[in-house]
Amino acid sequence: MKTIEKQNIQHEFKEKMDYDELLNCMRCGFCLPSCPTYIESGKDEAHSPRGRIAMMKAVVDGDLEPDEDVKRSLDLCLGCRACEPVCPSGVKYGHLLEQARDIIYQNKKQSIPEKTVRHLVFDQLFPHQKRMIGFTSLVGFYQRSGLQKLARNTGAMKILPANLQAMEKVLPAIPKKKEMKNRTRHIPAFAEKKKKVAFFAGCLMDTVFLSTNDSTTKLLQHAGCEIVVPDTQGCCGALHGHSGERNKAKKMAKKNIQAFEESEVDYIITNAGGCGAFLVDYGHLLNDDPYWAERAAAFSEKIKDISSILIELEFHKLDLQVDEQIVTYQDSCHLKNGQKTFMEPRQLLQSIKGVTYVEMQDASRCCGSAGIYNIVESEMSMQILDYKMEQTKKTKAKTIVTANPGCLLQMKLGIDREGLREEMEAVHIVDFLLRALEKN
């Protein structure tokens, strides 16, 4: 980094970092065994929550320059927040990480390729759902037209980096553009109405994983929910918030708050752990804005994961059945650590006839997906995934269930890397539950 960049970053660390939160860290080390990057880096203190907080504080105090080593340590963090539940002081590490990354990325000069990619992703694509539909429909055309088969058979895929080649293999079948555009905005309950809810459809979830969104609304109907799907909602902003683009994340948060305010619902339902955790944090994201703080807090209070409302409405007492099989569950980090939802998915799975549930060792340790981490930090991501697959194989499970699209793709990638496609599958929990409901 140039001297002027370091000076600007150091100044903003002093101005913007939550110093009281930095001081809350007692350096006790309880976070160390829960941190995947600390473990996989050979227990390098610089890649632990405690170490990263110490570096942030040292930058604020002027004892450490915010150089490339500091940036590298923060970039290598998954942001899984597994350190938060085990912290005796309750340090909000995720908030500190987002603050630090935002300061660095807003002040460090980026290369032209990096600047171009970030502009396309953060400004031109994710904030605009119509563009997301257009882009993903092109991927769908590639899959259906024979181009995918041609690219694979001719070796044309080899022009892509190895990590992108691997991800291309595990993408689900993309729906047609017409299906993505023609979305029902009001869905009645199948039986007696118990709750009126709004559904947060998301960006990737309502395009790449459209079938999973459809499964979600069907489950809610069976559970007795009237469903509203606001058409002005958009991307939750998590990718921006985690990648040093907090102001853009705030703009997207305000759009979503406005979209849902007039719904007059009991809950806002999510089916993606990463999105849900960021939506729950809107209250914190906008707490310094007098006009939005109260509205954001009210919005966040209504967020509920699909597994939580299904348990609340006793969906698990319906006749659910699948073929006899061993099932294990991979926690979504942000569902567990951000939304504090842990037991509900397990209760649902254990209620299904035919399921022999086997808990995976370290089920709540990050799988290495973490948004786009498996693309930008492929080496560390694959190290973490290899460990996860070791634990998965020990369960002898036929089905790995998870609750987040990134985790789902990562576990599919792990199955593919291990050559287990004929023996094992990864499924989103709502798709598995609908399968169990519709078997009879």
Side-chain angles (χ1 to χ4, degrees):
M1 290 186 194
K2 295 180 180 178
T3 302
I4 187 67
E5 291 174 353
K6 292 179 183 177
Q7 290 174 345
N8 289 340
I9 291 170
Q10 194 144 33
H11 173 74
E12 290 209 13
F13 260 67
K14 290 179 179 179
E15 290 290 316
K16 296 181 178 180
M17 290 299 297
D18 187 338
Y19 198 70
D20 289 339
E21 198 67 55
L22 291 172
L23 290 175
N24 279 342
C25 177
M26 301 186 299
R27 316 289 189 261
C28 65
F30 278 27
C31 59
L32 301 182
S34 68
C35 178
T37 54
Y38 172 73
I39 295 165
E40 295 296 336
S41 65
K43 298 187 176 180
D44 184 343
E45 187 73 31
H47 298 315
S48 72
R50 179 175 69 177
R52 291 179 177 115
I53 289 173
M55 281 191 281
M56 294 177 204
K57 183 176 179 297
V59 172
V60 174
D61 292 340
D63 297 330
L64 179 68
E65 279 195 340
D67 56 17
E68 289 294 340
D69 288 339
V70 172
K71 179 180 179 296
R72 179 62 190 145
S73 175
L74 298 179
D75 283 345
L76 198 63
C77 179
L78 291 145
C80 68
R81 295 169 60 179
C83 49
E84 292 185 13
V86 298
C87 177
S89 300
V91 175
K92 302 297 184 186
Y93 173 80
H95 294 166
L96 292 173
L97 178 66
E98 286 180 10
Q99 288 173 353
R101 281 178 173 170
D102 184 58
I103 292 167
I104 289 172
Y105 275 93
Q106 294 307 311
N107 286 279
K108 183 183 181 299
K109 187 175 181 180
Q110 299 161 4
S111 66
I112 292 176
E114 182 183 10
K115 191 174 182 179
T116 301
V117 170
R118 288 178 71 89
H119 174 69
L120 288 173
V121 172
F122 296 130
D123 297 333
Q124 299 301 319
L125 184 58
F126 277 87
H128 307 282
Q129 191 63 8
K130 288 183 179 178
R131 295 177 191 174
M132 287 290 295
I133 291 172
F135 176 75
T136 52
S137 66
L138 291 176
V139 179
F141 175 77
Y142 160 77
Q143 291 176 332
R144 292 186 297 271
S145 64
L147 287 173
Q148 184 180 58
K149 186 176 181 181
L150 180 66
R152 290 176 178 179
N153 290 344
T154 60
M157 292 300 301
K158 291 180 181 178
I159 63 172
L160 294 175
N163 57 339
L164 292 182
Q165 290 180 47
M167 292 305 296
E168 188 268 350
K169 289 182 182 179
V170 298
L171 280 177
I174 308 297
K176 294 180 181 179
K177 188 174 185 177
K178 185 177 179 181
E179 296 175 69
M180 291 187 273
K181 289 179 71 175
N182 297 336
R183 306 296 286 137
T184 304
R185 296 298 171 183
H186 184 269
I187 307 168
F190 280 144
E192 175 192 356
K193 188 180 89 169
K194 299 176 182 177
K195 297 287 182 182
K196 182 181 179 183
V197 302
F199 178 48
F200 185 84
C203 50
L204 282 176
M205 287 304 300
D206 217 35
T207 49
V208 177
F209 298 95
L210 181 63
S211 63
T212 299
N213 270 4
D214 289 341
S215 297
T216 304
T217 54
K218 286 179 184 176
L219 294 182
L220 289 170
Q221 285 179 285
H222 280 288
C225 292
E226 176 188 356
I227 309 156
V228 178
V229 189
D231 60 356
T232 54
Q233 64 176 297
C235 174
C236 68
L239 184 62
H240 298 72
H242 300 327
S243 304
E245 301 285 351
R246 278 174 66 83
N247 283 336
K248 291 170 187 174
K250 289 179 179 182
K251 185 177 179 180
M252 296 162 82
K254 292 172 184 177
K255 178 182 177 181
N256 283 322
I257 292 166
Q258 281 185 312
F260 283 85
E261 274 181 331
E262 295 180 4
S263 300
E264 295 183 354
V265 294
D266 299 300
Y267 302 120
I268 300 169
I269 305 301
T270 68
N271 62 1
C275 297
F278 200 70
L279 296 171
V280 165
D281 253 1
Y282 275 6
H284 170 76
L285 183 68
L286 296 171
N287 68 354
D288 58 350
D289 187 323
Y291 182 73
W292 286 95
E294 189 174 335
R295 296 166 70 183
F299 174 92
S300 293
E301 286 175 4
K302 287 190 174 184
I303 299 298
K304 187 180 282 285
D305 182 67
I306 178 66
S307 62
S308 294
I309 191 170
L310 291 180
I311 289 294
E312 179 180 328
L313 299 181
E314 300 187 330
F315 175 87
H316 56 299
K317 293 184 179 179
L318 297 178
D319 187 10
L320 305 173
Q321 185 173 349
V322 294
D323 293 334
E324 292 282 342
Q325 59 187 281
I326 297 174
V327 174
T328 194
Y329 178 71
Q330 161 61 23
D331 281 288
S332 157
C333 296
H334 286 103
L335 183 59
K336 177 181 180 290
N337 304 322
Q339 289 182 265
K340 316 301 182 191
T341 302
F342 177 74
M343 284 307 302
E344 292 91 331
R346 290 166 169 81
Q347 286 177 261
L348 288 166
L349 294 174
Q350 290 171 21
S351 72
I352 302 171
K353 296 171 188 173
V355 166
T356 300
Y357 180 78
V358 178
E359 181 75 6
M360 184 196 310
Q361 183 176 334
D362 292 330
S364 59
R365 184 186 292 186
C366 186
C367 64
S369 171
I372 57 171
Y373 187 94
N374 52 5
I375 297 174
V376 298
E377 297 290 350
S378 180
E379 185 178 350
M380 178 60 77
S381 175
M382 292 305 102
Q383 278 183 238
I384 293 167
L385 178 58
D386 287 344
Y387 175 80
K388 181 62 65 175
M389 289 309 299
E390 285 177 25
Q391 309 315 313
T392 303
K393 286 188 288 185
K394 288 177 185 177
T395 68
K396 302 188 184 303
K398 177 183 181 294
T399 306
I400 312 168
V401 175
T402 188
N404 188 62
C407 303
L408 179 61
L409 290 181
Q410 185 81 338
M411 298 312 293
K412 284 180 179 288
L413 179 57
I415 290 169
D416 192 65
R417 279 163 59 88
E418 296 289 333
L420 296 173
R421 279 195 175 192
E422 301 301 317
E423 305 167 35
M424 186 182 291
E425 66 169 338
V427 185
H428 193 289
I429 189 168
V430 298
D431 293 315
F432 192 70
L433 288 169
L434 187 64
R435 185 188 301 176
L437 181 66
E438 294 182 341
K439 183 172 176 60
N440 294 325

